[in-house]
Amino acid sequence: MTTTDIRPSGQPDEPEAPTNRPPSMHRVKMWLRRPYARGILVLTVVIGFLLLPLCWLLLAAMNQTGAPASPIMRDIEQTVFVFTLISIPITAFVFAVLVYSLLGWKHISGDEVPADQSPAIRSNTIGVVMWTAVSSLLAFFLVVWGLVELAQITANSYGTIPADEQPGDSQALIVNVTGQQWVWTFEYPQYDGITSETLYLAKDRPVYFNVTSKDVIHNFWAVELGVKIDANPGAITQTGVTPDKLGNFNVRCAELCGMHHAYMETGIQVLEKKDFNSWAREMGGGKTA
Amino acid sequence: MSTATATANVFGSEVPQPAQHGQPGGIMRRLNFVTGLIGGLALATIAGVVTNILTPSGASTATFAPAAPDYVYLAVLLGWVIGFMAGMGAFVGPIRWLLGRDITHADAEYLAGKDLGWKRYWKFTTDHKVVGVQYLIMVMIILGFGGLLAMLIRTELGVTWAEVFSPSFYNSIIGTHGIAMIIGMIIVVMGPIANFIVPIMIGARDMAFPRLNALSLWLLVAATPCLISSLFQGGVQDGWSVYQPLASQGPPGMLGYQMTIIVFAFSTGVASVNLMVTTLTMRAKGMTWSRTPILVYGVFAAALMGLYAFPFYQYSQILAMSDRIFNTSFFDPLEGGSVWLYENLFWLLGHPEVYVIIIPSAAVLMEILPVFYRKPLFSFNFAVAGIVGVVALSGLVWAHHMYMTGWAPAVNYPFMLSTEMISIPVGFLVLVAIGTMWRGVVWTRLPVMAIYAVIFNKMIGGVTGIYLSDVPVDQYMHGSMFVVAHFHYMLMGAGLFGAMGGVAFYFSKMTGRMLDERAGSIGLWTAFVGFQITFGSMFVAGLQGQPRRVLQFDSLFNISNWISTIGAYIIGIGMLIFLGAIISSWMYGEKATSNPFGSKSLEWQTPTPVPLENFAVLPVVTEKPYDYGVPDPYQKELAAVDGDFDTQKVGSQS
């Protein structure tokens, strides 16, 4: 006989032939016996491990100027880490298919149209279902993670943390942030309205920002604190943070605001509480606080 | 006039004709691009001079700038657009109707450019193939202009020790680069390929509304000088998103931007309706939805999204123009307007537009893959589901651009949900692509190699998009260089490289000559390498905390910006090589055969060059598309190993 296996087509009155369908684990083993399946899996693992350092490299890039300097920034970095980690397997798999397609499966060059020799696979239920399930699960995880984190940093920013979790003895600091072309002004209403062009904050003391603008839209970005909010003319936007690291950090404008947008940046000084109070007294505030 | 019932022979049947007035084409015989230019420049001059005389001296705008430059520039722009369109003959059709002169078959043939030779490319020609080629040239001009500006931007950012340009000029090249590239990318597939290829692909003789087709092209041609001229009127100094109220502070150049958008939105609207009607009603007999090629789905989806998205944009610019010219205050918060209103209107366009760019370019690639892998498209239904899913969600994600605006912090939650959900249908498209590659023997020609670049870039753009879709992370990354790198990976890395593959694929059909694939590949891969260098290091600059749209920055960002600039020049060289390959092949390339890639799709069954009206006899479609490949060898192998269990089932598992 030749290789073609022609079974007699079933007559209508014949009982249905017993299916000799192998169990699913056997089918997986069969699949894994194919050279390309192993090749792609190995490549996926290799590429995945090659990409793995990105989890830390991204954070290293973010941390070059002293971040994280607040719980919010730590949350952000944690999210970046986790998202990188869970993106790696699927990215590595796709890259592995790309590499294997070029190096593992055959290729033909030349100007002549080659004869058809690829298998006519129109679909594959298992593959499609697995892809959908995995990508939906990942998306679901991202959404849940994002919603929880967002609720958490919103709580951290707007001060809805339960009282027993409020740090320390102090009452929250309020800073009115005003953007105008092309300077930032920080006003401390609790300290007789003293103003400063550098943002002075006290370590571990929550601070609430009331942000507005005198002219066009600016964006108040306290880089290492992970705080960002638009400064809109005619409206006050609010956010907040608890700096927990001493040092010099940066405020930059992150919304194009005209000619000297690039130069609209200033510094943040996070001081110990007593240093902050003496700074405020030096500036002429704090007599009534 | 004559009562004799004249008839014309249209594809073998005698069709009664209305009376013929004069020679076929009538006044359209005298109108062409030159008369368009004359009309535009003449009316622009007249309008400018008259407005200058009529403007009272000392008139000022809401921001206390002299109003005369605004009024005069706007009048010049309006005069240019109307005069140019009139000079091209865009209004001749309606006027003929008003005069009761119906169009005859001979007229229609003249309008479609019959026997006009190269001159038909310079006229208001209705033939979809002519419009497609005209679009291709416009795309190259617009993308070339935007690319030139990109080189200027990177030069400024690479020269970290000095200001090469004045800050206001730098800001205006940023904005003009942005909008030029957006316009160029919107039309890069929807212009040349959708107009030229799609009607043939569905077995039609032309678009449903041939004159609207010409209108959409020439409106684009009219809009382009508005944008370029704005550079000489102070420029678009507010980024391509031109947020208010900074935009109303801007120089008269803002009006050039607004006029460009208003005219371009008309152009897109007209083109979208035309494409949708064509694909819905003019498919060949037997071309059911399951037999319709995926490119048609992609083009239809993009047209649909453009149709609902562009009016928001146009409307926002009309309101902004009114704020500027009539001192209204829709967007001026100090007089009761709202900046958030503008942002919402803008991003209601801004995000669907991303998919208007990505979907057709992905669809072209899905059209290319089966031809070069000689394999059916993997899971056609999933490809359709992916496109439908993207369209469905595209209008529900716009406010993720506004997470940090303070507009409504509470809506960040649902918008984060919808944004992350859109990764599922986009993932379907990736699955279709790698599923088609799966176990395929690839014929390594230039068009298909673009898919490797595109999937690589799309994965990077997609993963970085996940960070940005997450509100907490966006709180760090919004408005930084990270965002710039991310959307360049999507729009340029996935969109433009895909479109380059598409143009390379259809080049022989459109121009009648073979593309020099050697030079084209060198250009493509040089640009690809430069692209990774440029935007890879731009990610780093963003993570380090560099805001976007700045011309000077901390020395901390120097190294990544230097690397980025070097990469940008490499992209520039690569793109020039690719462009050179296209131009030289177009002029001197060897004559193309009708179907050099052995495609089974309808458009490749026509002769090259494609005759006027495409098909002498309209085709009938009897099969699903992408009927390539051989029976799966693993079916037999498995059957041999495991005995005679159901071979069909095992085959479908592979």
Side-chain angles (χ1 to χ4, degrees):
Chain A
M1 280 294 286
T2 55
T3 51
T4 23
D5 172 31
I6 303 167
R7 284 173 289 162
S9 56
Q11 275 84 38
D13 52 349
E14 211 178 35
E16 208 179 321
T19 55
N20 196 5
R21 197 182 157 87
S24 51
M25 269 323 287
H26 181 67
R27 278 152 53 109
V28 172
K29 273 186 210 150
M30 290 280 302
W31 188 79
L32 284 174
R33 216 176 288 159
R34 300 179 185 181
Y36 69 85
R38 291 183 190 176
I40 287 176
L41 287 181
V42 169
L43 265 178
T44 306
V45 174
V46 171
I47 295 174
F49 274 102
L50 287 178
L51 292 177
L52 198 58
L54 279 178
C55 295
W56 291 274
L57 287 177
L58 293 187
L59 298 194
M62 291 169 81
N63 287 345
Q64 287 195 338
T65 49
S70 76
I72 291 180
M73 191 62 191
R74 249 186 288 282
D75 281 352
I76 291 172
E77 294 196 347
Q78 188 188 17
T79 308
V80 170
F81 184 86
V82 171
F83 281 15
T84 315
L85 197 63
I86 63 167
S87 312
I88 283 177
I90 201 158
T91 312
F93 173 71
V94 174
F95 286 179
V97 176
L98 291 189
V99 172
Y100 201 86
S101 160
L102 282 177
L103 305 179
W105 288 310
K106 275 201 294 179
H107 51 84
I108 309 169
S109 45
D111 287 347
E112 290 301 306
V113 180
D116 285 15
Q117 45 181 310
S118 304
I121 310 168
R122 277 205 179 258
S123 187
N124 177 339
T125 317
I126 295 177
V128 162
V129 168
M130 269 178 58
W131 180 278
T132 314
V134 170
S135 62
S136 305
L137 277 176
L138 280 180
F140 181 72
F141 172 80
L142 295 177
V143 169
V144 171
W145 177 280
L147 293 177
V148 171
E149 283 281 304
L150 176 56
Q152 198 173 325
I153 70 157
T154 307
N156 284 343
S157 312
Y158 295 97
T160 47
I161 320 173
D164 55 342
E165 286 179 29
Q166 291 278 3
D169 52 342
S170 57
Q171 141 203 35
L173 178 67
I174 293 172
V175 180
N176 296 334
V177 181
T178 307
Q180 78 191 82
Q181 289 168 324
W182 292 274
V183 287
W184 291 109
T185 312
F186 306 102
E187 189 198 3
Y188 296 80
Q190 295 151 322
Y191 292 87
D192 299 340
I194 56 173
T195 59
S196 165
E197 291 195 357
T198 305
L199 177 59
Y200 284 86
L201 299 175
K203 182 170 174 280
D204 293 331
R205 181 169 175 189
V207 49
Y208 300 140
F209 299 106
N210 299 319
V211 184
T212 189
S213 162
K214 281 190 180 168
D215 34 45
V216 301
I217 304 174
H218 303 276
N219 185 303
F220 171 67
W221 182 16
V223 181
E224 292 81 1
L225 302 182
V227 167
K228 184 177 282 161
I229 192 91
D230 268 8
N232 294 294
I236 293 174
T237 47
Q238 290 172 316
T239 185
V241 70
T242 310
D244 59 1
K245 187 173 173 186
L246 296 175
N248 295 329
F249 305 116
N250 297 291
V251 170
R252 299 197 181 97
C253 176
E255 185 63 61
L256 180 57
C257 56
M259 207 159 49
H260 297 301
H261 162 60
Y263 303 102
M264 191 169 165
E265 50 185 20
T266 183
I268 305 174
Q269 290 263 12
V270 181
L271 308 171
E272 290 288 2
K273 276 176 202 157
K274 63 177 192 324
D275 294 338
F276 176 81
N277 288 334
S278 54
W279 167 79
R281 267 197 300 280
E282 245 170 65
M283 295 292 290
K287 288 160 197 141
T288 54
Chain B
M1 299 251 271
S2 72
T3 50
T5 52
T7 60
N9 186 317
V10 182
F11 294 110
S13 51
E14 293 294 322
V15 180
Q17 294 289 306
Q20 176 78 45
H21 293 268
Q23 284 188 297
I27 193 169
M28 292 300 279
R29 298 179 80 86
R30 301 212 183 83
L31 300 181
N32 55 35
F33 185 64
V34 175
T35 56
L37 280 183
I38 294 170
L41 294 176
L43 197 57
T45 314
I46 295 168
V49 170
V50 170
T51 314
N52 199 16
I53 294 168
L54 292 182
T55 306
S57 63
S60 65
T61 65
T63 50
F64 306 108
D70 275 13
Y71 296 163
V72 172
Y73 185 43
L74 181 60
V76 167
L77 290 173
L78 272 173
W80 156 259
V81 172
I82 295 169
F84 177 76
M85 294 311 286
M88 285 304 303
F91 307 128
V92 170
I95 292 171
R96 281 183 66 126
W97 278 336
L98 289 175
L99 297 177
R101 293 184 179 180
D102 275 340
I103 208 161
T104 64
H105 186 64
D107 285 333
E109 280 191 327
Y110 181 86
L111 293 180
K114 193 185 186 192
D115 303 329
L116 280 177
W118 60 271
K119 284 182 186 162
R120 68 188 194 275
Y121 292 106
W122 296 94
K123 292 173 82 83
F124 197 80
T125 307
T126 56
D127 182 16
H128 71 98
K129 296 182 287 296
V130 175
V131 174
V133 170
Q134 289 165 330
Y135 258 119
L136 184 58
I137 293 168
M138 282 309 292
V139 164
M140 293 197 288
I141 291 173
I142 295 175
L143 291 183
F145 172 66
L148 185 69
L149 297 179
M151 293 300 121
L152 297 185
I153 295 173
R154 282 314 324 174
T155 305
E156 168 66 64
L157 292 178
V159 180
T160 45
W161 52 90
E163 280 184 5
V164 181
F165 307 115
S166 71
S168 46
F169 184 69
Y170 176 76
N171 285 352
S172 70
I173 54 178
I174 284 183
T176 314
H177 162 76
I179 190 60
M181 284 306 198
I182 292 286
I183 291 177
M185 286 306 302
I186 286 172
I187 58 174
V188 68
V189 174
M190 294 298 284
I193 294 174
N195 278 298
F196 195 109
I197 298 298
V198 165
I200 316 180
M201 185 177 250
I202 63 175
R205 290 200 168 112
D206 204 323
M207 300 282 270
F209 305 113
R211 269 184 293 174
L212 288 188
N213 205 13
L215 181 67
S216 74
L217 178 271
W218 288 106
L219 279 173
L220 173 73
V221 178
T224 311
C226 300
L227 184 63
I228 296 176
S229 73
S230 78
L231 272 182
F232 304 99
Q233 290 290 324
V236 185
Q237 297 191 5
D238 198 5
W240 84 282
S241 53
V242 294
Y243 272 10
Q244 302 286 346
L246 178 56
S248 53
Q249 279 187 357
M254 284 310 306
L255 289 165
Y257 174 93
Q258 289 156 355
M259 185 57 95
T260 309
I261 298 311
I262 292 168
V263 176
F264 180 63
F266 277 123
S267 161
T268 345
V270 165
S272 296
V273 170
N274 203 353
L275 276 167
M276 286 169 69
V277 174
T278 307
T279 49
L280 282 177
T281 62
M282 296 185 65
R283 278 171 297 134
K285 207 171 185 182
M287 187 178 270
T288 57
W289 283 114
S290 63
R291 290 178 191 161
T292 305
I294 197 70
L295 175 60
V296 179
Y297 282 90
V299 164
F300 182 85
L304 181 63
M305 288 187 284
L307 197 60
Y308 82 74
F310 271 91
F312 289 116
Y313 196 17
Q314 191 180 30
Y315 184 52
S316 71
Q317 297 312 317
I318 289 172
L319 293 186
M321 195 183 255
S322 154
D323 273 10
R324 197 179 174 93
I325 298 293
F326 304 121
N327 287 358
T328 53
S329 51
F330 293 106
F331 303 133
D332 183 358
L334 303 181
E335 299 189 36
S338 167
V339 294
W340 291 318
L341 173 64
Y342 179 83
E343 290 167 14
N344 274 296
L345 286 175
F346 180 82
W347 289 115
L348 272 165
L349 156 97
H351 207 77
E353 157 264 307
V354 173
Y355 300 111
V356 173
I357 292 171
I358 300 270
I359 290 292
S361 122
V364 167
L365 285 175
M366 290 193 279
E367 199 63 44
I368 293 174
L369 284 175
V371 178
F372 291 91
Y373 286 89
R374 315 303 298 171
K375 203 166 167 292
L377 187 69
F378 180 77
S379 199
F380 183 83
N381 294 344
F382 244 57
V384 175
I387 290 174
V388 170
V390 169
V391 173
L393 286 172
S394 67
L396 300 173
V397 295
W398 80 93
H400 66 218
H401 297 267
M402 298 171 60
Y403 284 156
M404 295 303 134
T405 59
W407 164 52
V411 302
N412 286 353
Y413 293 87
F415 277 103
M416 180 158 65
L417 176 73
S418 57
T419 305
E420 285 173 357
M421 268 172 48
I422 214 164
S423 66
I424 299 174
V426 173
F428 288 180
L429 302 181
V430 176
L431 171 70
V432 170
I434 64 170
T436 311
M437 289 179 167
W438 196 256
R439 289 172 53 202
V441 179
V442 58
W443 179 28
T444 52
R445 300 290 295 265
L446 169 58
V448 75
M449 296 312 279
I451 188 74
Y452 292 93
V454 168
I455 294 189
F456 183 81
N457 292 335
K458 200 176 222 167
M459 286 310 290
I460 295 177
V463 170
T464 51
I466 289 173
Y467 302 130
L468 295 170
S469 73
D470 183 80
V471 184
V473 179
D474 194 49
Q475 184 154 331
Y476 185 79
M477 292 174 177
H478 170 88
S480 75
M481 280 305 215
F482 193 89
V483 178
V484 181
H486 158 72
F487 70 70
H488 278 89
Y489 261 96
M490 286 318 258
L491 298 186
M492 185 182 175
L496 183 59
F497 282 100
M500 284 160 81
V503 169
F505 183 54
Y506 288 117
F507 187 81
S508 62
K509 194 45 93 180
M510 293 178 72
T511 64
R513 290 176 187 272
M514 295 303 292
L515 181 65
D516 177 359
E517 292 198 2
R518 201 179 134 79
S521 303
I522 294 172
L524 182 86
W525 291 111
T526 310
F528 177 79
V529 170
F531 180 84
Q532 306 305 330
I533 296 172
T534 307
F535 296 102
S537 66
M538 200 177 281
F539 277 129
V540 177
L543 288 168
Q544 289 173 325
Q546 184 188 351
R548 59 192 288 202
R549 294 165 172 163
V550 294
L551 89 167
Q552 283 293 314
F553 35 76
D554 257 40
S555 56
L556 170 69
F557 311 128
N558 279 356
I559 294 173
S560 42
N561 276 284
W562 291 333
I563 297 174
S564 204
T565 298
I566 292 167
Y569 291 147
I570 298 175
I571 300 178
I573 292 167
M575 289 296 178
L576 281 180
I577 296 174
F578 192 84
L579 190 66
I582 285 194
I583 293 172
S584 70
S585 309
W586 202 333
M587 293 169 75
Y588 312 113
E590 66 177 285
K591 289 262 187 282
T593 51
S594 69
N595 190 1
F597 302 122
S599 169
K600 293 185 177 174
S601 184
L602 210 46
E603 74 275 17
W604 291 101
Q605 312 312 318
T606 54
T608 301
V610 187
L612 190 64
E613 313 237 317
N614 309 341
F615 301 99
V617 179
L618 283 182
V620 176
V621 179
T622 55
E623 284 177 353
K624 287 191 170 186
Y626 318 120
D627 185 19
Y628 306 97
V630 294
D632 188 350
Y634 273 111
Q635 285 189 17
K636 282 183 207 160
E637 222 168 275
L638 285 173
V641 174
D642 279 296
D644 63 344
F645 61 87
D646 188 353
T647 50
Q648 281 299 320
K649 282 277 193 283
V650 178
S652 69
Q653 176 204 344
S654 47

